[in-house]
Amino acid sequence: DVEYDVIVLGTGLKECILSGLLSVDRLKVLHMDRNDYYGGDSTSLNLNQLWKRFKGDGTPPANIGASRDYNVDMVPKFMMANGALVRVLIHTGVTKYLSFKAVDGSYVFNK
C-alpha cells in the first residue's frame, strides 16, 4: 500500500547515484537489487560472497582467513579527486558513508 515516485532496479554505481540524486530532490524512491549484495557488476565481495559467486556451494577453507578480511573488487574503481563524480557524491550526502583513500597499490588477476 505504499506509492513511490521512482523505482530504481540495480545497485551499481549509476543506479546508486541516480537514486541519491532523486532522493535529494525529495522524491520517494524504492531501490531494489536481485543480489544479496550492493554494487552490481562492480561490487566488492568478502570471501564468502566471492566463494559463492565462483565456486557455488560450500564454504571457503578456514585456513585462508576470515571472510571479513577480504574485500575483492570485481571492477577496480578510481575517482579523480576533483572530478564531477566526487561533486555529485558530495551533493547527495553519501560521502557520510564512504571512505576516500590514496591508492597504495593495485593488483589485477586475469585468468
Side-chain angles (χ1 to χ4, degrees), residues 96-110:
K96 293 181 264 185
Y97 310 104
L98 297 174
S99 298
F100 291 97
K101 180 181 175 192
V103 176
D104 292 330
S106 178
Y107 307 93
V108 177
F109 176 77
N110 186 8

Side-chain angles (χ1 to χ4, degrees), residues 6 57 59 68 98 101:
V6 179
D57 294 334
T59 57
R68 69 179 177 275
L98 297 174
K101 180 181 175 192

Side-chain angles (χ1 to χ4, degrees), residues 25-76:
D25 285 345
R26 305 250 186 250
L27 293 173
K28 192 167 185 178
V29 179
L30 174 62
H31 197 163
M32 300 171 57
D33 197 304
R34 64 179 170 207
N35 298 313
D36 60 353
Y37 53 82
Y38 295 101
D41 291 335
S42 60
T43 190
S44 298
L45 302 175
N46 64 34
L47 183 58
N48 289 335
Q49 293 166 329
L50 190 67
W51 190 271
K52 181 180 174 184
R53 182 166 178 168
F54 292 104
K55 293 287 191 176
D57 294 334
T59 57
N63 66 340
I64 60 175
S67 178
R68 69 179 177 275
D69 292 340
Y70 289 79
N71 188 33
V72 178
D73 286 336
M74 297 288 85
V75 176

